[in-house]
Amino acid sequence: MSSSWCSNISPLVTFLLWVLAFSSICSVYSLDSGNSHATNRAFKPEEELQKLKIIRERLKKINKPAVKTIQSPDGDLIDCVLSHHQPAFDHPRVRGQKPLEPPERPKGHNPKGMEKENFQLWSMSGESCPEETIPIRRTTEQDILRASSYRRYGRKLRRHVRRDSRSNGHEHAVGFVSGDKYYGAKASINVWAPKVANLNEFSLSQIWVISGQFGDDLNTIEAGWQVSPEMYGDFHPRFFTYWTSDSYQATGCYNLLCSGFVQTSNRIAIGAAISPTSSYKGGQFDISLLIWKDPKHGNWWLQFGSGVLVGYWPSYLFTRLRDSATMVQFGGEIVNTSPSGSHTPTQMGSGHFGREGFRRASYFRNLQVVDWDNILIPLSNLRVLADRPNCYDIKGGRNRVWGNYFYYGGPGRNVRCP
């Protein structure tokens, strides 16, 4: 159960305080006594205690009381929380309410995938959450302390997401459509475990549903898989969601780390590790994701596989996406921190270039969008673009079995990407 952490400071944090105090005092004593700034560098316990208070208050908001807790093989704790107690219902617009009933699915939805519903480590042993509850990965003090900013834990750093820019070290290999109104998107994505070089980098593969300008009013809905050691403390690929309504400034978050996404499934834990994964020249494992706007209520729903409804993003979260999306984007993204002045060796997808093809490269297949009449249709104007094709490339195509598809990814640093 998730109660003990909020009553006492953990041994990890206590140890951290002593280490910080000792190192700060030593650094002050080593300074020239005539340096007027020396005293300003001294350790301030009141500041650290205030930081701890903020972290503990945040944990209280995120970690709700559980009716059951499941230990995952990877070390995660999965709390089964009553569905109407999840963080989404802290929002004043829906406080005291319960999740909505499922909407009408888009017409033409006929998934043909390799995915299975039991695709996460925590549920491999047959464990599950009871009806009327949802599984939530428990957030720990260590999770927040790993973040580059404990105040912005669970949020992306503000950045431009133009496909032709590499601002803040973000690099992409994507397929995209624009120039129309879109009411959803669907694709099957194979899952890998790319190597991520350091704590401040990540590698992900996802669908973006986008509206607004690439500035302060950008609205996005995002879902896919990611490897993020900063977020999760390991290198497992994990199922994730994200949203923002102001270009990653003050709104939005990953998974269920703020009042936003409303989860309805008791079988899928957002943020939990995916298993199995694809292997080079071996078996391929993919997941099918569908995001679409409910024509009746205007909420944006997320479906996994052949019909498991994960949950929805309420329409009130958004400004631009209350109407429709103006762009849909599929593909990979990494963060390049340029360690030692060189390009990062963080991999995208399988870590192999898209031109290597099936069983070697990552892919998106059966790409579709939802039109104004709630019908899934194939793409007629898919364009592909890689920010740095010598580091990560992309190769598109179309056939009768996979419809619109592309292979993408790469190793990062190599002789042509120094």
Side-chain angles (χ1 to χ4, degrees):
M1 304 294 281
S2 58
S3 58
S4 60
W5 54 263
C6 63
S7 57
N8 296 289
I9 297 176
S10 75
L12 170 71
V13 177
T14 303
F15 174 73
L16 190 64
L17 282 172
W18 281 107
V19 170
L20 285 170
F22 182 76
S23 61
S24 299
I25 292 169
C26 288
S27 65
V28 170
Y29 276 59
S30 67
L31 293 171
D32 186 314
S33 59
N35 186 342
S36 62
H37 297 291
T39 55
N40 293 333
R41 299 185 186 183
F43 175 69
K44 295 184 175 66
E46 66 276 10
E47 292 182 3
E48 291 302 314
L49 289 173
Q50 179 63 23
K51 175 180 176 180
L52 291 174
K53 181 181 179 182
I54 293 171
I55 291 173
R56 292 169 66 192
E57 288 299 318
R58 182 74 191 280
L59 287 170
K60 287 181 184 179
K61 290 183 178 180
I62 296 172
N63 293 325
K64 303 299 184 181
V67 299
K68 176 182 178 181
T69 296
I70 299 168
Q71 176 82 53
S72 176
D74 61 347
D76 283 351
L77 291 177
I78 305 298
D79 290 326
C80 300
V81 175
L82 290 171
S83 59
H84 60 286
H85 287 171
Q86 64 183 287
F89 292 101
D90 291 339
H91 195 286
R93 288 282 296 269
V94 291
R95 188 173 291 128
Q97 299 181 26
K98 290 189 176 183
L100 296 175
E101 292 298 314
E104 178 185 355
R105 263 89 160 178
K107 303 175 185 71
H109 175 56
N110 183 27
K112 296 178 181 178
M114 296 180 237
E115 75 279 341
K116 56 181 181 178
E117 291 178 8
N118 187 20
F119 74 111
Q120 293 186 307
L121 282 174
W122 73 274
S123 58
M124 287 294 179
S125 64
E127 289 275 17
S128 62
C129 283
E131 294 294 328
E132 306 298 327
T133 71
I134 63 166
I136 302 180
R137 178 187 180 271
R138 188 184 300 180
T139 302
T140 67
E141 291 169 340
Q142 292 93 329
D143 289 333
I144 299 180
L145 288 169
R146 271 195 314 272
S148 55
S149 168
Y150 70 93
R151 293 182 182 275
R152 287 188 60 84
Y153 171 73
R155 294 179 180 172
K156 293 184 180 181
L157 295 177
R158 187 187 177 191
R159 61 183 179 82
H160 296 294
V161 292
R162 290 186 189 275
R163 296 156 311 288
D164 58 351
S165 73
R166 299 188 295 275
S167 60
N168 295 332
H170 291 255
E171 299 178 12
H172 307 78
V174 297
F176 64 97
V177 292
S178 59
D180 202 348
K181 289 188 173 185
Y182 307 99
Y183 298 85
K186 178 179 179 292
S188 292
I189 317 166
N190 64 342
V191 181
W192 298 81
K195 294 179 181 177
V196 174
N198 63 61
L199 184 68
N200 303 120
E201 298 183 346
F202 64 67
S203 181
L204 61 76
S205 296
Q206 69 173 51
I207 300 173
W208 291 261
V209 176
I210 303 169
S211 190
Q213 302 299 314
F214 289 94
D216 292 346
D217 69 343
L218 184 73
N219 287 204
T220 75
I221 287 171
E222 307 170 27
W225 61 263
Q226 67 178 165
V227 175
S228 177
E230 181 180 83
M231 274 286 294
Y232 307 107
D234 59 30
F235 296 90
H236 292 299
R238 293 170 177 270
F239 180 55
F240 82 97
T241 63
Y242 199 89
W243 68 275
T244 181
S245 62
D246 62 356
S247 194
Y248 306 96
Q249 295 181 85
T251 65
C253 63
Y254 281 108
N255 308 333
L256 304 182
L257 295 175
C258 67
S259 180
F261 186 83
V262 179
Q263 183 165 333
T264 59
S265 172
N266 69 330
R267 289 183 275 172
I268 294 175
I270 303 174
I274 298 173
S275 183
T277 58
S278 302
S279 60
Y280 186 71
K281 295 184 180 180
Q284 301 299 294
F285 174 75
D286 66 21
I287 58 175
S288 177
L289 300 177
L290 167 63
I291 299 169
W292 85 101
K293 185 180 181 184
D294 172 14
K296 185 176 181 180
H297 298 289
N299 303 311
W300 290 85
W301 283 78
L302 172 63
Q303 177 177 288
F304 172 83
S306 59
V308 178
L309 290 179
V310 182
Y312 60 92
W313 293 269
S315 61
Y316 62 75
L317 296 175
F318 304 104
T319 52
R320 299 289 186 165
L321 279 171
R322 287 187 185 180
D323 177 28
S324 64
T326 55
M327 178 185 300
V328 173
Q329 185 171 298
F330 311 83
E333 176 184 355
I334 65 95
V335 171
N336 172 27
T337 59
S338 301
S340 304
S342 302
H343 193 283
T344 181
T346 285
Q347 299 174 340
M348 180 188 292
S350 68
H352 293 263
F353 288 109
R355 58 179 177 265
E356 294 189 39
F358 187 60
R359 296 203 306 152
R360 294 168 173 81
S362 296
Y363 63 74
F364 276 66
R365 63 183 179 87
N366 296 119
L367 307 181
Q368 295 174 285
V369 293
V370 180
D371 71 4
W372 63 273
D373 200 25
N374 202 32
I375 298 175
L376 272 165
I377 59 174
L379 309 184
S380 59
N381 59 338
L382 178 68
R383 290 177 283 173
V384 297
L385 180 67
D387 290 336
R388 299 189 67 167
N390 288 336
C391 308
Y392 315 100
D393 72 352
I394 185 167
K395 181 180 180 182
R398 181 179 175 83
N399 61 38
R400 290 176 59 188
V401 178
W402 278 18
N404 287 107
Y405 70 88
F406 59 80
Y407 294 103
Y408 70 101
R413 185 193 305 161
N414 64 82
V415 291
R416 299 181 62 197
C417 174

